[in-house]
Amino acid sequence: MKKLLNTLYVTTPKGYLSLDGETVVLLQEQHELGRVPLHNLEGIVCFGYKGVSPALMGACAERGVGLCFLTQHGRFLARINGPVRGNVLLRETQYCRAMDERQSLDIAKSFLLGKIYNGRWCLERVKRDHAMRVDQAALGEAIEQMLQSLASLEGAETRSELMGIEGIAAKAYFGAFPQMILRNEDVFTFDGRNRRPPLDPVNAMLSLAYTLLGNEITGALEAVGLDPAVGFLHTVRPGRDSLALDLLEELRAPLADRFVITQINLGVFTEKDFAKKENGAVFLTDEARKRFLAAWQKRKQETLMHPYLKEKIQWGMVAYAQAMLLARYLRGDLDAYPPFLWK
């Protein structure tokens, strides 16, 4: 297992990043705002950046430090990668499995098993822990539908059938999603998932969390030598990290959704933390986004017992652990890919 290091989030709109020896320097109009040793970082995420020096880009690529660029409101723009890492035979196996319909379907089932299982347990926890504050019938109906979807996965024979099962489970989960919001319900209303752009505060927070998690998953896949672009559930498409999206499916509920729900229910964010554009897009204000990123980083440092490895790891290591397990399966060290089943 690799050591969980830190991610540097640059939210200064006019900030420019440069390299001074082994130190990352943040400048704004020639004034130095801060310094961070490069060896302390596993990734740099820039929101609305002004620029990054070629020397820093090269150093990040050489040392395997992820360098990701987002718009000021958190939409993914680009990611800089260094030389391809990992055994070429591993990627060759990945490509062969992805092109084999039967083998690809089996791996895709594992990703969806994790997704539906984890989403169901998010609902189970709120049903158990807040029995007097939620609609027990609505939650029970959604949970039952997701259990039926889990039972149907094994019998799916085609990708189309698999996606149909996933769609039914996702509809049940997001239909019950408002039950998990226990504070400021008048502000944090949720009528379904929307994006590009997000149209309400809940979707704005979910979109940002998914972007951050997706970036970390991509880095984890690259770290173990897998190609993030070639997936098993999501089809290959130019410019899309399909395998990263596959892994995001099983991790979004316990890592991203639970994080957003917790921040809302703790009262960390209120109506004043959001702004709305003329086209209806809702996004976090600059100050609120900084708090969101700080909380995200803190959450990554918390620990849990990994359900398969039976080791205590940090939440920020979960994506790497799953990428490692997927690589071990493709190498033939495991009989099947074990999805992350959180409870």
Side-chain angles (χ1 to χ4, degrees):
M1 300 291 286
K2 69 174 183 177
K3 180 183 178 183
L4 177 64
L5 304 175
N6 293 317
T7 301
L8 173 63
Y9 297 102
V10 181
T11 60
T12 307
K14 296 182 180 180
Y16 179 83
L17 291 175
S18 66
L19 187 67
D20 181 10
E22 292 295 313
T23 302
V24 179
V25 182
L26 175 60
L27 302 169
Q28 180 172 303
E29 297 179 353
Q30 305 303 314
H31 297 291
E32 184 176 313
L33 300 182
R35 287 173 168 258
V36 180
L38 184 59
H39 69 265
N40 284 350
L41 300 175
E42 70 168 357
I44 300 174
V45 179
C46 301
F47 289 80
Y49 76 104
K50 182 179 181 181
V52 174
S53 73
L56 179 57
M57 290 184 188
C60 288
E62 182 180 349
R63 293 164 174 77
V65 177
L67 183 54
C68 181
F69 301 103
L70 310 178
T71 67
Q72 189 175 354
H73 305 314
R75 183 172 60 83
F76 176 81
L77 290 175
R79 179 182 173 87
I80 292 179
N81 299 317
V84 174
R85 290 170 284 176
N87 190 331
V88 65
L89 297 178
L90 173 61
R91 292 200 174 204
E92 184 179 55
T93 301
Q94 177 188 354
Y95 301 149
C96 290
R97 295 282 182 93
M99 290 187 291
D100 185 293
E101 185 175 350
R102 181 70 260 170
Q103 294 187 69
S104 180
L105 192 69
D106 288 342
I107 302 173
K109 286 180 181 180
S110 294
F111 288 129
L112 287 186
L113 170 63
K115 175 180 182 176
I116 299 172
Y117 180 97
N118 291 330
R120 170 225 167 178
W121 272 106
C122 281
L123 299 182
E124 290 275 16
R125 284 173 69 99
V126 75
K127 182 173 183 286
R128 178 197 66 197
D129 297 342
H130 304 283
M132 303 299 294
R133 302 181 61 185
V134 298
D135 186 334
Q136 292 278 321
L139 281 171
E141 183 178 344
I143 290 168
E144 179 59 32
Q145 180 60 71
M146 297 180 79
L147 285 171
Q148 292 177 20
S149 295
L150 282 173
S152 301
L153 279 179
E154 187 59 35
E157 296 292 336
T158 65
R159 183 187 298 271
S160 177
E161 188 176 351
L162 202 61
M163 296 309 292
I165 295 170
E166 186 274 339
I168 293 172
K171 183 178 180 181
Y173 173 70
F174 280 119
F177 196 90
Q179 297 296 324
M180 293 190 284
I181 300 173
L182 305 175
R183 187 167 183 167
N184 294 332
E185 294 94 329
D186 56 330
V187 175
F188 295 101
T189 58
F190 184 83
D191 295 322
R193 183 77 180 107
N194 56 66
R195 55 190 183 132
R196 298 180 185 174
L199 302 176
D200 56 71
V202 178
N203 275 291
M205 296 176 74
L206 288 175
S207 290
L208 181 53
Y210 293 161
T211 298
L212 296 174
L213 179 57
N215 179 59
E216 292 169 10
I217 290 171
T218 297
L221 292 169
E222 291 170 346
V224 301
L226 291 169
D227 187 340
V230 180
F232 303 97
L233 176 62
H234 292 81
T235 56
V236 175
R237 182 183 300 172
R240 183 170 78 174
D241 287 337
S242 296
L243 184 57
L245 292 176
D246 287 355
L247 199 51
L248 178 62
E249 293 296 344
E250 75 174 75
L251 299 182
R252 70 169 73 229
L255 272 71
D257 294 357
R258 285 283 299 172
F259 171 78
V260 168
I261 289 295
T262 298
Q263 298 305 303
I264 292 173
N265 289 343
L266 288 176
V268 176
F269 297 95
T270 61
E271 186 174 13
K272 65 180 178 61
D273 292 315
F274 299 87
K276 190 171 185 178
K277 300 177 70 174
E278 292 182 359
N279 66 351
V282 175
F283 55 91
L284 285 157
T285 63
D286 291 345
E287 191 278 332
R289 186 173 63 244
K290 292 177 182 177
R291 284 189 281 118
F292 187 97
L293 296 173
W296 177 264
Q297 190 69 7
K298 182 178 179 181
R299 172 61 168 165
K300 287 168 59 178
Q301 306 294 331
E302 296 175 6
T303 60
L304 76 153
M305 182 65 69
H306 191 282
Y308 179 81
L309 297 173
K310 303 304 179 185
E311 295 179 13
K312 184 171 286 189
I313 66 172
Q314 294 163 311
W315 275 100
M317 290 298 299
V318 171
Y320 178 80
Q322 294 308 120
M324 181 188 67
L325 290 170
L326 179 59
R328 289 178 60 186
Y329 164 64
L330 292 174
R331 289 192 184 101
D333 298 333
L334 297 175
D335 293 333
Y337 165 69
F340 179 74
L341 302 179
W342 172 81
K343 185 175 180 180

